[in-house]
Amino acid sequence: MAEIEGGGGGKQKTGKVRSKKVSTKVDMTPMVDLAFLLITFFMLTTTLSKPQVMKITMPYKDKDKKNQDMQDLKASRVLNLILGEEDEIYYYHGLDQPQMEVTDYSADGIRKIFNEKKKTVDTVVVIIKAMDKSKFKNIVDILDEVHITNIRTYSIVDITPEDLALVAKEKEVSSASTEK
Amino acid sequence: MSKGSSRKSVSLDMTAMCDMGFLLLTFFILTAKMKSPETVAIDTPSSISTEKLPEVQVLKITLDKSGRIFYSISDQATRLLTLDYMKEKYKVAFSDAEKARFIKLEMFGMPIAQLRPFMALSEDMKKKFQQPGIPVDSTNNELKMWIDATKRADPKCRIIVKGDRDAYYESYNKIVSTLQELNLNNFSLVTTLEVKP
């Protein structure tokens, strides 16, 4: 394509006309440079990786019905989580007389607790309550852990004043123990 | 290079490479979809979910770090219908020219009263304008009206919430309770992919 021979000028037997030997080859290098520059540009501006989505289903906002559901739950199956303000998780088992404990989002933290809970009861019900100043990523992380451990039943509910009081108490206890 | 012809130059034949280069270039130009200019920078959290974000029939609610709420509709026809509903609801008279501008608007986050002056701004000014976010207070929940209008315009559209990792749960909960009030209990959260452990 680019090498257009000048009418076979280079192969004349007589060799009188020397200047005709100059080939008409076009130097493609700058063109290739340009082409690859543009390719790079378009590759970088193209959004190749589309973001993912996580499906989430919220319970119906019907207060009477919700209380009914809660009463139907067997207390032993319930695991309550309270997402704290500084990437910590407070959790307790059952519905009343809670024994509050603290953990975090690492694989040794909440995932272990989920797995242990799964061994003791058939269907774990995780109730997630987030404090107002906890982060959005905390919610996504905890839903992720729920999905990783294959827990089918979970719900995100509003935090109650009792839970807030429990968290405040727990914080007091832990700060007192660090002072000692 | 054969030894016999010393006259031959050592320049490589670039033709093939050039062909390939332009072929790839054409491919990328045709498939390229420019990154839409982002009104706000959102750093989404990561999850193991592998479902892709749909591109059409999407109603996206964006929540930024400071708790501002932005609204975007993917389809232009739905945008127009939504605006018509909102126009009647809030008695804001949008002219045809303003409607045409609204259709072009990818994302906005302001009370509806500010929408008209905002659309009159030039592109440069629009970028500089600090959008206050859509109000979601219990007394003035415009987000609810917007969602309701879009759902009426396109009942099949999917609701997607795109939140910043560091946004407070408080502001996320405002969006969710608004959705729950409208009985829209199924929605998706935008995340980036993370390797499953």
Side-chain angles (χ1 to χ4, degrees), chain A residues 120-132:
Chain A
T120 54
V121 281
D122 299 337
T123 41
V124 183
V125 178
V126 178
I127 295 175
I128 303 162
K129 299 164 194 173
M131 288 171 78
D132 276 350

Side-chain angles (χ1 to χ4, degrees), chain A residues 21 28 38-39 42-43 47 51-54 56-61 132-137 144, chain B residues 7 14 21 28 35 47-49 51-53 165 167 169-170 177 180 183 185-189 191:
Chain A
K21 266 186 187 167
M28 286 279 187
L38 286 171
I39 288 176
F42 275 100
M43 270 172 80
T47 40
Q52 273 73 31
V53 291
M54 176 197 262
I56 174 169
T57 309
M58 294 295 289
Y60 281 92
K61 216 176 195 179
D132 276 350
K133 290 281 177 260
S134 61
K135 305 279 163 57
F136 175 62
K137 73 162 183 256
D144 225 23
Chain B
R7 261 183 292 174
M14 284 284 182
F28 277 107
K35 268 180 193 165
S47 84
I48 55 155
S49 173
E51 205 186 313
K52 292 278 181 215
L53 181 73
R165 320 166 53 98
Y169 174 76
E170 198 180 9
S177 28
Q180 279 179 306
N183 257 338
N185 292 302
N186 289 305
F187 52 91
S188 308
L189 306 176
T191 53

